Amino acid sequence: MRKHSFLVKNFAIALVVALVGGLPVGVPTQVAAEVTAQGPVDAQPVQPDLGQVVAALKGADVILLGEVHDNAVHHQTQAELIAALQPRAVVWEMITQDQAATLTVPVLQDTARTAERLNWATSGWPDFALYAPVFLAASEAAQFGAWLPRAEARIALQTGIADHFGDQAARFGLDQPLPEADQAAREADQMINHCNAMPAEMLPMLVDIQRLRDARLAARAEQALQQTGGPVVVITGNGHARLDRGLAVYLKRAAPQISLRALGQIEEGQDDEMGGQGERRFDVVLSAPAPLRPDPCLAFRSTD
């Protein structure tokens, strides 16, 4: 993986790390760029019921449950699916492995203790009340975390994501650049995610961080499967849950024998995002009302 020019690196790294150090890149502006489904849709899609979703996902070694991070309906659906699928392990995008190791069954069955143990109030993620049902539903499973802290993101951008990932980088594909068209598409998505306000030289770094997070999620899912026998559920944003671009790409490269299925959760009014070309992006797509939220682009606009 390339290392970025020293002329812009220090400033660029500081800005990128500031953007990715709390919430993942583009939350909730990522919604428009992330959510698509498995093929052209000419008519209003029919919403599958929970039983149909369970049937579509059940039987896979690793099940990816996507979300828009601040949508309460998406989290309630994840909780219900965990209860139905009964995974032996859950991998969380939102917490580190060290934090996951502190989540015993008694802690997970006490919402206040879980939030306190995870220092959720200072994490930058949406209110813990949104995630509480998911942690509670997962209380009997083994817990794994894949979050990339701010300090670690800074080091990764300084050293290169392949070097930072370590001796498994080639196995997961981080030692190779993306195909030119894929890199350009991902950079364009990152520009949209950041309200068309990002300097162009920052975009490759944002893509690198997204790739590193995908690979970390993939590695943690593989570890969880090896240690528990599965099935493993991964709780993550829609972008990471995409079969054509997210953690599935890295996991299938490293361990092609592992079976994967993915749920994408979009919001009403995004039906035009459900059509797509090429490989399918999710096995199942659910839609829910969007919560009221402020304009996510306000932070990027000048106050002059």
Side-chain angles (χ1 to χ4, degrees), residues 270-290:
Q270 295 172 335
D271 294 336
D272 58 331
E273 297 290 341
M274 293 184 66
Q277 303 299 321
E279 297 181 62
R280 77 185 193 281
R281 295 178 179 176
F282 302 106
D283 294 296
V284 187
V285 173
L286 293 176
S287 180

Side-chain angles (χ1 to χ4, degrees), residues 26-52:
V27 176
T29 58
Q30 69 190 55
V31 172
E34 284 186 349
V35 289
T36 43
Q38 58 184 350
V41 176
D42 297 321
Q44 186 73 14
V46 176
Q47 181 92 337
D49 62 31
L50 185 69
Q52 292 172 314

Side-chain angles (χ1 to χ4, degrees), residues 212-231:
L212 179 57
R213 285 178 168 159
D214 282 327
R216 283 170 65 101
L217 281 161
R220 201 66 75 203
E222 181 185 36
Q223 177 189 7
L225 183 63
Q226 290 172 343
Q227 290 186 9
T228 69

